[in-house]
Amino acid sequence: MDSFKAVFKKKITMAVSKDFLQYVLDQLWGWGNVHINRMFGGAALYQEDLAFAMIVNDIVYLKVDDTNKDKFIAVGSTPLKPFKNNATVLSFYSIPPDVLEDADEFIEWAEESLAIQKKRNRQY
């Protein structure tokens, strides 16, 4: 039973690998001060104290709204599904691997997501 608990705990805490998280931060290096906050087995990426991205199971999800959601859907992105019950978080969509691999393009997409959070923050 103890080995089952150890394996289960490892799976929960390893939802975002250190190597993948470092890779994402390296890709965003030229954009300024991005910091992380680990939560619920995943991680949130912040700039200017606003969460613009989530990482779950080594997949990056960026904040979306009506201004950019169609772009994500057009490239086959899917909404964040952080829970086993298949509930989705429709305000965060995955980014395609080719965007993640191109640091400049990734930063452009991340900037759009941060702008959404800034606009939303001003409304409240």
Side-chain angles (χ1 to χ4, degrees), residues 31 33 46-53 63-65 67 92 110-124:
W31 187 33
N33 187 22
Y46 290 81
Q47 191 178 72
E48 299 177 35
D49 293 324
L50 297 170
F52 65 90
K63 180 73 174 171
V64 299
D65 69 3
T67 64
F92 285 89
E111 286 172 339
E112 290 177 2
S113 295
L114 180 61
I116 290 166
Q117 288 293 58
K118 286 180 179 180
K119 180 177 76 176
R120 183 173 175 262
N121 200 38
R122 283 191 300 267
Q123 293 172 350
Y124 295 105

Side-chain angles (χ1 to χ4, degrees), residues 27-89:
Q27 292 297 87
L28 295 171
W29 178 82
W31 187 33
N33 187 22
V34 174
H35 65 277
I36 63 165
N37 185 19
R38 288 185 174 267
M39 61 175 103
F40 308 116
L45 298 178
Y46 290 81
Q47 191 178 72
E48 299 177 35
D49 293 324
L50 297 170
F52 65 90
M54 301 290 294
I55 303 175
V56 177
N57 295 324
D58 288 349
I59 299 171
V60 177
Y61 297 84
L62 290 175
K63 180 73 174 171
V64 299
D65 69 3
D66 292 338
T67 64
N68 67 344
K69 186 184 240 178
D70 288 342
K71 174 171 84 171
F72 282 78
I73 293 170
V75 295
S77 297
T78 57
L80 174 60
K81 291 184 181 180
F83 307 109
K84 290 182 181 182
N85 67 0
N86 286 328
T88 57
V89 179

